[in-house]
Amino acid sequence: MRAPRVGVLALQGDTREHLAALRAAGAEASTVRRRSELDAVDGLVIPGGESTAMSHLLLDFDLLEPLRARLADGLPAYGACAGMILLASEILDAGADGRAALPLGGIDMTVRRNAFGRQVDSFEGDIPFEGLDSNVRAVFIRAPWVERVGDDVQVLARAAGHIVAVRQGAVLATAFHPEVTGDHRVHQLFVDMVNGRGDPAAT
């Protein structure tokens, strides 16, 4: 079996760490900035950054509707922090009209931006993650949380009583940044999902 081709959306945010984590998990990882690059990948990571800026860069690069279409067609995707926000079906505190974060609708969930507070309120801690054999080190930076999930959405982790990791089918999202910790298990889970081995019933 060939290594899956997994792209990292590289319009804004921390791409390098995700590329390294994906390669450590056995993927052929590359950046995605163009429609042709999006069309060529088997899965996509949407990194952290600023969700409003990322939304409008997707528009500027003519990627918003193609990405929505690929997600609707079953493209495996993983979103971290701002990526979680964009993968939601509904975004609370999305921003002012004209510069609001634009949901991609990859997961049936309602996400609140910057729910844990501002940059100075960033924190980290060890939390249980469904399906992993030990806690993950979760780094929260201006992090969102999930306020509502649909019936088909699996909750994978909580922090301070709030949902911070979810999965629906082939789409995974975390409010935290596993790419900065050196623990590649979340990325390995996603690569397994791209390969079709990450059974939701087993996670």
Side-chain angles (χ1 to χ4, degrees):
M1 178 186 293
R2 70 167 175 82
R5 291 186 294 263
V6 180
V8 178
L9 188 66
L11 303 181
Q12 193 242 11
D14 52 342
T15 61
R16 181 174 57 184
E17 294 89 345
H18 282 289
L19 290 168
L22 288 166
R23 289 166 183 154
E28 178 186 321
S30 60
T31 56
V32 169
R33 296 186 184 90
R34 299 177 178 86
R35 171 71 181 271
S36 60
E37 294 167 340
L38 175 63
D39 291 343
V41 297
D42 304 312
L44 182 70
V45 172
I46 304 175
E50 207 292 311
S51 57
T52 301
M54 292 172 72
S55 293
H56 292 276
L57 286 168
L58 283 168
L59 280 172
D60 292 343
F61 281 76
D62 295 321
L63 285 173
L64 183 68
E65 292 307 325
L67 179 50
R68 282 176 171 163
R70 286 219 64 193
L71 287 168
D73 286 342
L75 175 72
Y78 165 48
C81 196
M84 169 185 261
I85 295 168
L86 293 181
L87 284 173
S89 55
E90 181 184 15
I91 303 170
L92 301 180
D93 299 328
D97 290 346
R99 293 301 299 174
L102 305 172
L104 294 168
I107 297 177
D108 180 12
M109 63 179 176
T110 301
V111 172
R112 183 174 295 279
R113 295 173 73 228
N114 301 332
F116 283 104
R118 300 168 63 84
Q119 190 85 14
V120 294
D121 301 309
S122 300
F123 68 99
E124 59 185 273
D126 297 322
I127 62 172
F129 193 103
E130 188 71 27
L132 300 184
D133 56 3
S134 61
N135 289 353
V136 297
R137 188 70 175 175
V139 178
F140 295 88
I141 303 170
R142 293 181 62 199
W145 66 48
V146 179
E147 295 208 349
R148 179 201 62 85
V149 294
D151 293 340
D152 295 329
V153 178
Q154 183 180 15
V155 174
L156 300 177
R158 297 175 185 267
H162 299 286
I163 299 169
V164 295
V166 294
R167 175 178 178 179
Q168 183 174 15
V171 184
L172 175 71
T174 64
F176 53 89
H177 293 265
E179 75 279 5
V180 302
T181 66
D183 182 347
H184 303 313
R185 289 178 296 165
V186 172
H187 289 81
Q188 185 67 64
L189 170 62
F190 179 58
V191 171
D192 288 345
M193 289 165 59
V194 177
N195 275 328
R197 298 197 303 265
D199 180 4
T203 58

